[in-house]
Amino acid sequence: EAGVAQSPRYKIIEKRQSVAFWCNPISGHATLYWYQQILGQGPKLLIQFQNNGVVDDSQLPKDRFSAERLKGVDSTLKIQPAKLEDSAVYLCASSLDRVAGANVLTFGAGSRLTVL
Amino acid sequence: GNSVTQMEGPVTLSEEAFLTINCTYTATGYPSLFWYVQYPGEGLQLLLKATKADDKGSNKGFEATYRKETTSFHLEKGSVQVSDSAVYFCAFEPTGANSKLTFGKGITLSVRP
């Protein structure tokens, strides 16, 4: 099966500019996640969708970050305006459902953002 | 609150050496435990998992046992290869609907020939 697709792979912008990342999950996966991975740290969940509804966005900086998942398939994560500390890899993941009590996520390759 | 702690890295080993990467967690109840791996230039992928106490997850020669009494899920491999060079993340997911997967900081493993 095709994996989780993300674009762009790399993006360099100046602070206060805006940027958008796109994710196409595995076909049939109901749950979609966006994680932020800052260099030297583990991924941190930004937002979780179940179909096209938000399940958890408690760690999303809502003053500058937004995300949507129209029609419950593709998703877009936007940052506006960007700050230097937003430099990170943005990971998209999807999951079918809980498997034997453990929710197995499939990750995309990530979008690396550098803010200058 | 819920958290996971990994040993500090990086770790450099010679090929065929024994590997142990420590991971401990703090959580109520019986979380599910995972090891994810990130090879250079690739996305995170699941290496192994365990869903209840005393379960042993295994894959590609790696093993980890869910130890409830020590709240640990240490990753081991008897003989590492150069191709095992990657970043390894311990993670856990608390019980309950819509609970979220929480990752440790990750540890970089370099295996030299």
Side-chain angles (χ1 to χ4, degrees), chain A residues 9 35 37 40-43 45 48 50 55-56 58-59 91 98-109, chain B residues 32 34 36 38 41-46 49-51 89 93-94 96-106:
Chain A
R9 288 295 309 274
Y35 281 82
Q37 186 178 10
Q41 300 181 19
L45 180 67
Q48 176 182 340
Q50 181 76 17
V55 173
D56 185 343
S58 57
Q59 298 191 91
L91 299 168
R98 291 182 180 274
V99 177
N103 199 16
V104 178
L105 276 61
T106 302
F107 284 84
Chain B
S32 295
F34 306 81
Y36 277 80
Q38 190 170 31
E42 299 183 17
L44 277 161
Q45 54 186 274
L46 179 68
K49 62 178 171 67
T51 59
F89 294 91
E93 183 182 58
N98 299 322
S99 57
K100 60 188 178 189
L101 190 64
T102 300
F103 287 87
K105 289 187 176 182

Side-chain angles (χ1 to χ4, degrees), chain A residues 46-101:
Chain A
L46 292 176
I47 189 167
Q48 176 182 340
F49 292 94
Q50 181 76 17
N51 296 310
N52 61 350
V54 175
V55 173
D56 185 343
D57 63 356
S58 57
Q59 298 191 91
L60 186 74
K62 298 181 186 62
D63 57 334
R64 297 183 300 104
F65 285 65
S66 64
E68 59 182 11
R69 190 184 184 197
L70 300 177
K71 301 181 181 178
V73 183
D74 293 9
S75 178
T76 303
L77 176 71
K78 296 180 181 177
I79 307 174
Q80 181 179 14
K83 292 185 175 181
L84 297 177
E85 58 261 35
D86 298 333
S87 295
V89 177
Y90 292 86
L91 299 168
C92 180
S94 67
S95 65
L96 178 62
D97 206 340
R98 291 182 180 274
V99 177

Side-chain angles (χ1 to χ4, degrees), chain B residues 62-83:
Chain B
F62 290 88
E63 293 183 340
T65 301
Y66 189 141
R67 302 287 188 197
K68 180 67 177 175
E69 64 277 11
T70 54
T71 62
S72 65
F73 193 54
H74 303 325
L75 183 67
E76 296 182 337
K77 186 172 185 180
S79 176
V80 294
Q81 305 301 312
V82 173
S83 57

